[in-house]
C-alpha cells in the first residue's frame, strides 16, 4: 500500500474572477436597493421646487421664488426622521413633519412677498433662506385687501375660545407642576393628558409660534442627542421622566419652564390679531398635519396617550368648523353638509376606540386602525381646504 499523499488540488485561475464578479453583483444589488429606498415615492410634477435635507443642511440652502402658490418636494437624505418648515420670524407659515429617511413628501404653500427662513432637519441645524419676490398679482391682491365683515363675529368668538383654552392650559399645567414638585408620580401621570388637552385644542394657532412650539412640544426624534439633548424640554420631557422613568426626579426645571412657556402662550393667545385665514386655512392645516404624520407614527412615545390628544385636537377643529359653516353660501349647501359629515366621522372614529369612557393606550391601535383614523382626518382636511377656497375673502 502506497504511503504517498495525493497532491492538493490547485485553485482555478478563474476563481479570482468569480469572486470579483460576485462582489460586483453584491455592489450592484446594494445600489439597486439604495435606489429603491430613495425612490419610494414618485417624482413630483414639473414645476415643484425640490429641497434635499442632509445631516446638517438643506440643498439648496437658499431659495428665490415669485409670490404665489408653490409646491415643494422635500427629500430626506439624512439618517433621521426630519421636519421642514417655512418660518416668518417666529411664525410657522407651513410645515411638513415626520419625513422618514429616504422618503419624499410634498408641501403646498401660498407665499406672500418677503424673506423667510427654512428649517433643515434637526432643530439644532442652521436654517436656510427663502426670498419671495413681489409680482403684479401679489401687489394687486395686497391693494384690494380682504372683506372682513363676514368674519367679524366668527373671529371674535374664536378669540374667546382661545383665551378660555389658554386659561385652562395654565391651570392644568399648574396642577401637573405641583404634583411633580411633591414627587407624586401617580398623580403627575394622571394629570399629563389633561394638561396637554388645552394645548392641543389651540394647536391650530399655538403651532404658529415656532419659539414656543420648540420649547413646549419638541419631540426627541428631531433633536441631535434625542432624550439626552439639552433642547429636550416641555411636555415630552416630562412625559419621558414620568412614563419611561417612572419618576419625578430631575423634572422640576423642565416643569417650571413649561409653566412659564404656557403662561407666555396664554398671553399671546389673548393678544393675537386673527385673520380669516386663521380659521379657514388654519383648521385645514392642523387636520392635514395630524393626518400626514402624527397619527400613524404616534406622538406620545412614552405615555401612549395619543387618542386623548386627538380628541382635544378635534375639539379645536370642530369649533373652527362650526364657526365657518354659517359663512358657506346657500348655493353650496352640499359643502356645508359634507363638512358636518367629516367632523362627525372623525368623532365617531375616536369614540369607537374608547374603552368604556376612557381612551386606551395607543399601543392597542394597530397599523390598520391608525391608517383608517388618519384617513378620516385627511378627508376632513380636504373638505376644510375646499371650504377655505370657497370663503377666501377678497
Amino acid at each position: 500500500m502506497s504511503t504517498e499523499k495525493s497532491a492538493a488540488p490547485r485553485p482555478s485561475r478563474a476563481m479570482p474572477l468569480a469572486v470579483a464578479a460576485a462582489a460586483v453583483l453584491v455592489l450592484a444589488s446594494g445600489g439597486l436597493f439604495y435606489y429603491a429606498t430613495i425612490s419610494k415615492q414618485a417624482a413630483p410634477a414639473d414645476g415643484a421646487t425640490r429641497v434635499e435635507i442632509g445631516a446638517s443642511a438643506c440643498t439648496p440652502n437658499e431659495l428665490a421664488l415669485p409670490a404665489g402658490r408653490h409646491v415643494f418636494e422635500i427629500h430626506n437624505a439624512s439618517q433621521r426622521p426630519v421636519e421642514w418648515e417655512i418660518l416668518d420670524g417666529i411664525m410657522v407659515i407651513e410645515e411638513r413633519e415626520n419625513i422618514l429617511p429616504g422618503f419624499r413628501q410634498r408641501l403646498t404653500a401660498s407665499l406672500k412677498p418677503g424673506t423667510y427662513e427654512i428649517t433643515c432637519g434637526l432643530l439644532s441645524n442652521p436654517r436656510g433662506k427663502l426670498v419671495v419676490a413681489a409680482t403684479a398679482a401679489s401687489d394687486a391682491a395686497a391693494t384690494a385687501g380682504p372683506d372682513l365683515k363676514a368674519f367679524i363675529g366668527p373671529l371674535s368668538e374664536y378669540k374667546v375660545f382661545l383665551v378660555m383654552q389658554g386659561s385652562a392650559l395654565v391651570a392644568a399645567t399648574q396642577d401637573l407642576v405641583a404634583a411633580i414638585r411633591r414627587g407624586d408620580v401617580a398623580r403627575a401621570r394622571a394629570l399629563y393628558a389633561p394638561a396637554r388637552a388645552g394645548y392641543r385644542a389651540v394647536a391650530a394657532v399655538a403651532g404658529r409660534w415656532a419659539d414656543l412650539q420648540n420649547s413646549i412640544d419638541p419631540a426627541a426624534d428631531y433633536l441631535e442627542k434625542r432624550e439626552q439633548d439639552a433642547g429636550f424640554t416641555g411636555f415630552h420631557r416630562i412625559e419621558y421622566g414620568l412614563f419611561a422613568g417612572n419618576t419625578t426626579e430631575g423634572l422640576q426645571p423642565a416643569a417650571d419652564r413649561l409653566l412659564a412657556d404656557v403662561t407666555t402662550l396664554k398671553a399671546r393667545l389673548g393678544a393675537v390679531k386673527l385673520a380669516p385665514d386663521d380659521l379657514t386655512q388654519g383648521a385645514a392645516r392642523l387636520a392635514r398635519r395630524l393626518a400626514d404624520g402624527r397619527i400613524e407614527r404616534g406622538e406620545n412615545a412614552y405615555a401612549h396617550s395619543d387618542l386623548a390628544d386627538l380628541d382635544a385636537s378635534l375639539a379645536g377643529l370642530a369649533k373652527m368648523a362650526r364657526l365657518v359653516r354659517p359663512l358657506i353660501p346657500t348655493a353650496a349647501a352640499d359643502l356645508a353638509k359634507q363638512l358636518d359629515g367629516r367632523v362627525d366621522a372623525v368623532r365617531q372614529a375616536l369614540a369607537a376606540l374608547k374603552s368604556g369612557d376612557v381612551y386606551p393606550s395607543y399601543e392597542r391601535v394597530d397599523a390598520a386602525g391608525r391608517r383608517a383614523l388618519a384617513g378620516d382626518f385627511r378627508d376632513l382636511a380636504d373638505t376644510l381646504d375646499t371650504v377655505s377656497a370657497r370663503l377666501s375673502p377678497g
Side-chain angles (χ1 to χ4, degrees):
M1 181 175 181
S2 174
T3 58
E4 183 178 351
K5 294 181 180 179
S6 299
R10 297 178 62 186
S12 170
R13 294 181 179 178
M15 184 63 71
L17 293 176
V19 172
V24 169
L25 287 174
V26 170
L27 290 173
S29 298
L32 289 172
F33 177 78
Y34 174 75
Y35 177 79
T37 300
I38 66 173
S39 303
K40 289 185 176 72
Q41 296 185 15
D46 290 343
T49 300
R50 296 166 173 81
V51 178
E52 181 175 279
I53 300 179
S56 59
C58 289
T59 304
N61 203 46
E62 293 192 10
L63 297 168
L65 297 169
R69 186 178 178 87
H70 293 278
V71 176
F72 297 87
E73 182 196 78
I74 316 303
H75 173 212
N76 182 6
S78 76
Q79 301 300 312
R80 298 276 298 273
V82 299
E83 60 182 0
W84 191 76
E85 297 174 326
I86 301 174
L87 302 171
D88 183 5
I90 61 173
M91 303 299 290
V92 179
I93 304 302
E94 290 289 352
E95 65 180 330
R96 181 65 74 238
E97 297 180 326
N98 195 40
I99 308 174
L100 299 177
F103 277 76
R104 294 173 169 84
Q105 287 195 21
R106 292 170 60 138
L107 175 150
T108 301
S110 296
L111 299 173
K112 298 178 180 179
T115 300
Y116 304 89
E117 289 185 317
I118 55 176
T119 58
C120 295
L122 299 180
L123 295 177
S124 57
N125 288 350
R127 291 175 177 174
K129 184 178 181 181
L130 169 61
V131 178
V132 179
T135 64
S138 67
D139 288 342
T143 302
D147 180 6
L148 300 177
K149 292 180 182 178
F151 287 89
I152 291 175
L155 288 175
S156 298
E157 187 173 341
Y158 187 55
K159 180 68 171 289
V160 172
F161 174 81
L162 293 177
V163 171
M164 292 178 64
Q165 292 297 322
S167 296
L169 169 61
V170 170
T173 305
Q174 287 173 333
D175 291 341
L176 173 62
V177 172
I180 291 172
R181 186 174 290 115
R182 294 193 304 270
D184 189 340
V185 176
R187 181 61 177 161
R189 290 175 67 154
L191 291 172
Y192 173 74
R196 279 185 63 80
Y199 182 70
R200 297 306 312 164
V202 298
V205 175
R208 306 302 295 246
W209 287 299
D211 60 332
L212 287 180
Q213 179 177 305
N214 291 340
S215 183
I216 292 173
D217 210 35
D221 282 349
Y222 300 140
L223 300 168
E224 183 180 3
K225 298 179 181 178
R226 300 183 187 271
E227 286 87 356
Q228 307 310 313
D229 199 286
F232 189 44
T233 58
F235 277 115
H236 294 305
R237 172 64 186 94
I238 291 172
E239 178 199 3
Y240 176 65
L242 293 176
F243 293 90
N246 196 32
T247 182
T248 60
E249 186 177 350
L251 293 183
Q252 193 61 54
D256 291 341
R257 179 174 176 179
L258 175 62
L259 181 57
D261 286 337
V262 298
T263 302
T264 299
L265 176 59
K266 175 189 173 183
R268 289 191 188 178
L269 292 171
V272 68
K273 294 181 179 180
L274 298 172
D277 286 354
D278 291 316
L279 277 179
T280 57
Q281 294 181 15
R285 186 182 297 112
L286 173 59
R288 196 167 304 284
R289 188 164 70 238
L290 294 171
D292 288 350
R294 294 191 181 189
I295 292 176
E296 292 194 51
R297 180 187 78 241
E299 187 174 0
N300 294 317
Y302 322 104
H304 306 294
S305 53
D306 299 80
L307 291 174
D309 267 20
L310 292 173
D311 187 90
S313 296
L314 177 60
L317 288 169
K319 178 68 174 181
M320 300 167 87
R322 187 179 69 79
L323 291 174
V324 301
R325 190 190 187 282
L327 304 180
I328 299 174
T330 304
D334 288 347
L335 178 59
K337 291 180 180 179
Q338 185 183 76
L339 179 60
D340 293 340
R342 298 302 193 198
V343 173
D344 286 342
V346 175
R347 185 177 288 116
Q348 291 172 18
L350 286 172
L353 294 171
K354 278 188 173 180
S355 178
D357 294 330
V358 299
Y359 285 114
S361 168
Y362 204 45
E363 292 177 303
R364 293 177 59 183
V365 182
D366 62 17
R370 295 186 186 194
R371 282 195 300 271
L373 187 57
D376 289 328
F377 271 89
R378 190 171 292 110
D379 289 343
L380 175 58
D382 290 342
T383 299
L384 286 166
D385 272 334
T386 303
V387 172
S388 177
R390 188 64 187 257
L391 299 183
S392 180

